[in-house]
Amino acid sequence: MNSVESTCSLLREHFPGDVEILQLRDLTTWQTGGPAVSATVTSSVMLADLLGLTAREGIPWFILGQGSNILASDEGCREVVIRLSGSMALTAWHRFESGWNLVIGGGVHLPSLSGAACSRGASGLEFAIGIPGTVGGAVFMNAGAYGNSVADSLKSVTVLDYRGSANTIVGEECCFGYRFSRFQKERTVITGVELSLGIDDPAVLRSEGKRILELRRKKFPLQYPNAGSVFRKPDEGIAPGKLIEDAGLKGRTVGGARVSRKHANFIINTGKATSEDIMELIDIVRESVLACSGMLLKEEIRYLGRRD
Ligand SMILES: Cc1cc2nc3c(=O)[nH]c(=O)nc-3n(C[C@H](O)[C@H](O)[C@H](O)COP(=O)(O)OP(=O)(O)OC[C@H]3O[C@@H](n4cnc5c(N)ncnc54)[C@H](O)[C@@H]3O)c2cc1C
């Protein structure tokens, strides 16, 4: 039995029906990556039990949302991939005279939430309509677009730490920055989020959502598997896409991975890319941009599994 199989059978003794071996290519938007043990968690109690068990057994874990910002190793990973579902993917909507208060599970699908907010007349999440992650992943990354980010409407975040203890952190203490939150430095699971939204005309919000989706369709190579922007904007604020284009890298290919001709900060899977291809292309882009412009690009995407 290999380590994935033995971890799977150990966890199955405690959580039968919720643990299985899956291919990471089926769980990530780049559609690459090998086998992993997946545990689908449907409540905070179950999550606390699972984290307790992994701590006792020395099993590493990784929280996976929609896998829309992840490059997963072709060999898979040792970590148990924990996915939030059931009661951890629900939203409670409360409307007051002054605005909306939303209590949202970490596993909620962000574009669906954004669409539902527009339809109910809750304003402030229109920017998120085309960001294909979960609410937990969006808070972890402080996902944003068009000058807005998740931090703007966030009141508090509830997390469970690796011992299974719950804690609520108010917005100011989340240390949000550009694609950054304190959760990137912690071993916690974002189980719930409280958002404060405004009130507006649903028709106006829906049309803004539509406008944003159209803009994104024009700008991004959405017909191919991808993980959004590969590199973070450098501190100087020059768009990585421009630096990559100026380095003559649009259309550069390694195996099945290609620097998009439509948006150079996207690497697309043209059909048969491996994570290895994508990783090699990322290294080529980083080195070429450094040589051409002196700017060192850093990845926005995150890695799961072996990297060498
Ligand atoms: C087509 C496309 C367009 C995109 N456009 C944008 C954009 O406009 N703006 C933008 O900011 N991003 C964008 N992204 C990137 C991505 O969608 C965001 O970073 C998103 O927030 C990631 O959410 P996820 O649930 O997929 O997280 P994953 O990719 O699954 O995970 C990302 C990180 O978050 C952690 N994480 C996930 N859930 C939790 C949780 N509940 N608790 C603790 N940690 C957690 C993971 O461990 C991992 O480290 C785009 C991606 C694609 C494919």
Side-chain angles (χ1 to χ4, degrees), residues 15 41 43-56 61 63 82 88 158-168 186-191:
F15 304 99
V41 162
S43 70
S44 302
V45 173
M46 184 180 169
L47 178 61
D49 286 349
L50 177 63
L51 294 179
L53 178 64
T54 55
R56 284 194 303 281
W61 51 266
I63 302 293
I82 300 176
M88 309 199 75
T158 304
V159 295
L160 225 59
D161 70 17
Y162 63 93
R163 292 173 301 249
S165 311
N167 190 13
T168 296
E186 294 174 3
R187 292 293 294 151
T188 52
V189 183
I190 296 162
T191 55

Side-chain angles (χ1 to χ4, degrees), residues 234-238 243 285-297:
D235 292 339
E236 282 79 355
I238 305 171
L243 295 169
V285 169
R286 192 192 305 100
E287 282 156 27
S288 307
V289 167
L290 184 62
C292 282
S293 66
M295 302 292 286
L296 180 62
L297 292 178

Side-chain angles (χ1 to χ4, degrees), residues 37-264:
V37 178
S38 155
T40 305
V41 162
T42 51
S43 70
S44 302
V45 173
M46 184 180 169
L47 178 61
D49 286 349
L50 177 63
L51 294 179
L53 178 64
T54 55
R56 284 194 303 281
E57 298 290 340
I59 300 170
W61 51 266
F62 186 92
I63 302 293
L64 191 69
Q66 291 288 314
S68 63
N69 206 32
I70 298 287
L71 183 56
S73 165
D74 295 320
E75 278 112 71
C77 64
R78 287 176 53 238
E79 291 89 341
V80 177
V81 168
I82 300 176
R83 298 185 298 143
L84 308 183
S85 175
S87 71
M88 309 199 75
L90 297 177
T91 303
W93 301 78
H94 307 283
R95 189 183 161 144
F96 300 96
E97 248 175 61
S98 55
W100 287 86
N101 194 63
L102 272 56
V103 181
I104 313 160
V108 165
H109 184 236
L110 185 63
S112 309
L113 178 73
S114 170
C118 291
S119 295
R120 286 179 187 240
S123 65
L125 276 184
E126 306 82 82
F127 76 91
I129 196 138
I131 304 180
T134 58
V135 167
V139 170
F140 183 93
M141 294 302 301
N142 190 19
Y146 307 108
N148 297 101
S149 75
V150 169
D152 301 338
S153 51
L154 192 133
K155 278 175 86 176
S156 68
V157 177
T158 304
V159 295
L160 225 59
D161 70 17
Y162 63 93
R163 292 173 301 249
S165 311
N167 190 13
T168 296
I169 298 152
V170 292
E172 311 87 75
E173 290 170 9
C174 293
C175 307
F176 285 119
Y178 168 71
R179 302 295 170 266
F180 180 79
S181 72
R182 67 182 265 177
F183 310 107
Q184 295 177 16
K185 303 268 179 210
E186 294 174 3
R187 292 293 294 151
T188 52
V189 183
I190 296 162
T191 55
V193 172
E194 202 182 344
L195 292 187
S196 175
L197 299 180
I199 295 176
D200 208 333
D201 179 352
V204 171
L205 296 176
R206 272 199 299 264
S207 118
E208 176 60 4
K210 206 169 150 222
R211 187 187 71 82
I212 290 174
L213 279 179
E214 273 162 18
L215 267 181
R216 295 176 70 97
R217 264 185 222 119
K218 276 195 196 128
K219 214 169 137 196
F220 303 144
L222 300 180
Q223 67 276 37
Y224 293 100
N226 69 80
S229 297
V230 173
F231 294 100
R232 300 166 58 83
K233 213 186 290 163
D235 292 339
E236 282 79 355
I238 305 171
K242 171 90 175 78
L243 295 169
I244 298 167
E245 193 174 339
D246 289 351
L249 292 163
K250 266 192 167 178
R252 179 73 180 258
T253 301
V254 173
R258 185 200 297 151
V259 175
S260 165
R261 294 195 186 96
K262 201 167 181 185
H263 192 305

